[in-house]
Every structure is written in structure tokens, then in C-alpha cells.
Amino acid sequence: MSGAPSAKKPSGTLNFVLDFGPLFLFFVASKFGSSDTDPKQGAIVGTAAFMAAILVAVIVSKLKLGKISPMLKLTAALGVFFGALTIWFHDERFIQIKPTIIYAFFAILLLGGWLRGKAMLKYVLEQAYQGLDEKGWMKLSLSWGIFFFILAGLNEIFRRPEWFSFDTWLSIKVWGVSALTFLFALANIPMLMRHGLKLGDDAELPPPA
């Protein structure tokens, strides 16, 4: 008897590498690829490295986990699209606006679902947060929806070249947003445990895009 292959048990460590690895590589490549003669070269090199890394992440996710998460699909699609525009036009503003679009998309998706009584985060994260009841998913969808809305606004502020340099934006994007995301996720754990969350290695976090 044959059937469709099922997704393999997710690994928290592998999920972390797939979600955050391309972003950290973006940071490193941008720093080492910078040039005194071309102020935009670091952003271009970093963008190219990010594009390659996110495509590798998609392939590894499919091979190792048997699936590609909706968030990874969206991040990869927009990353490649805006990355190509960044390289073609030699303009880092294209890759800088990508997080705003991703954050805004998920904010609208989660908050719109919450208003309609649907916990959309449950479908986005799929197998994460095992044991969480429906009320917990609703609260989690609301909190992450608001969080994504705030992140979209912050990215719009920090990507403004008249206010912040690309290097400043990149540092905030990689270290600031990543730390903020983890702290926000940790702050939600007590509420989630009251609604049946079973802690384990398979928990996922929305990536910092």
C-alpha cells in the first residue's frame, strides 16, 4: 500500500538554523564584502549570499523535514525577488523593504483571522506548540499579529537612509530583531502553558524575515 510521504518530525535546532542562518550569513557577508571605494558593495555581496542561503534552506527543509513551512516559502520568494532587484539596480533599498512586506503580510493575516475567530498562526506554524488548545492559539495569533505590526513599523523607521545607515539597519535587523523575537516568544510561554502547551524540541518561532 502506498501513500503520500508524511512530514518528518521537526527539529528545533534545524528549524533555528534554517530560519536564522541565512540572515546571519547576510550580516557576515555584508561586513566582509564591504569596500571603501563602493559604499554599496557590502549590501550587494550580503544580498547575494542571503539569496543563495535561503534557497539552500528551502532545499534542506524539504529533504530533512519533508516540508517547507509557509513562512520559509514566503521569505524565500520575497528574498529572491527583492534580492534580484537589489543586485540589478545596485540599490539596497529593495532588500530593506522586504521585511516590512513580510511583517505586514503576517500581521494582516493573523489579525484578520483573529477578528474572524480563526487562529491563523496554527496553520502557519503547523506542528509547533504541541498540545496548545484553541483559546491559546487565538491568544497567540493576536499577540504575534500585533508584534508583526510593530516590527513592520520599526523596519520602516530604521530603513530610512536619511535617519540610519545600511550598516545600522543591518545590525538592528540581525541582532536587535532576533533578540526581540526570542524575548517576545519567551514572554508568551507562561500563557501558552496555561493553555496546554507541551514544551519540547519541536517548537518553532516565526523567523525574523
Side-chain angles (χ1 to χ4, degrees), residues 6-207:
S6 59
K8 302 173 184 177
K9 177 179 173 57
S11 163
T13 301
L14 180 57
N15 281 326
F16 174 84
V17 173
L18 294 178
D19 290 337
F20 291 87
L23 187 62
F24 293 149
L25 183 59
F26 182 26
F27 177 84
V28 173
S30 295
K31 295 298 183 182
F32 282 96
S34 61
S35 169
D36 294 333
T37 58
D38 183 1
K40 294 181 180 289
Q41 180 174 308
I44 302 303
V45 172
T47 298
F50 175 80
M51 292 169 65
I54 199 67
L55 290 176
V56 170
V58 169
I59 294 172
V60 172
S61 180
K62 182 63 177 177
L63 293 177
K64 294 294 185 179
L65 302 180
K67 66 181 180 69
I68 305 171
S69 70
M71 286 190 138
L72 182 57
K73 287 179 183 178
L74 181 63
T75 301
L78 292 181
V80 171
F81 176 72
F82 284 103
L85 292 178
T86 297
I87 295 173
W88 180 263
F89 290 104
H90 207 71
D91 189 340
E92 70 274 14
R93 289 178 296 178
F94 288 106
I95 199 66
Q96 286 181 290
I97 200 175
K98 174 189 70 71
T100 298
I101 294 175
I102 293 178
Y103 296 144
F105 172 82
F106 281 111
I108 293 171
L109 177 70
L110 298 181
L111 295 177
W114 180 81
L115 289 172
R116 293 183 289 112
K118 294 184 178 181
M120 298 305 295
L121 194 64
K122 182 177 183 179
Y123 305 102
V124 173
L125 292 184
E126 298 176 330
Q127 299 183 55
Y129 298 111
Q130 293 291 325
L132 190 62
D133 62 29
E134 195 63 26
K135 188 174 181 180
W137 277 112
M138 287 294 293
K139 289 183 177 180
L140 190 63
S141 293
L142 174 61
S143 63
W144 276 105
I146 295 173
F147 184 70
F148 278 128
F149 181 78
I150 294 172
L151 286 184
L154 289 176
N155 191 68
E156 281 301 288
I157 293 173
F158 288 115
R159 78 177 185 87
R160 297 296 178 184
E162 64 269 25
W163 295 339
F164 301 95
S165 67
F166 177 82
D167 285 343
T168 299
W169 170 84
L170 182 61
S171 295
I172 292 172
K173 178 73 185 70
V174 175
W175 306 114
V177 173
S178 297
L180 193 60
T181 299
F182 277 114
L183 290 175
F184 183 76
L186 289 176
N188 275 284
I189 288 180
M191 178 275 292
L192 297 177
M193 293 185 69
R194 290 195 298 269
H195 289 278
L197 173 67
K198 298 177 182 177
L199 296 178
D201 185 54
D202 56 349
E204 296 180 31
L205 292 178

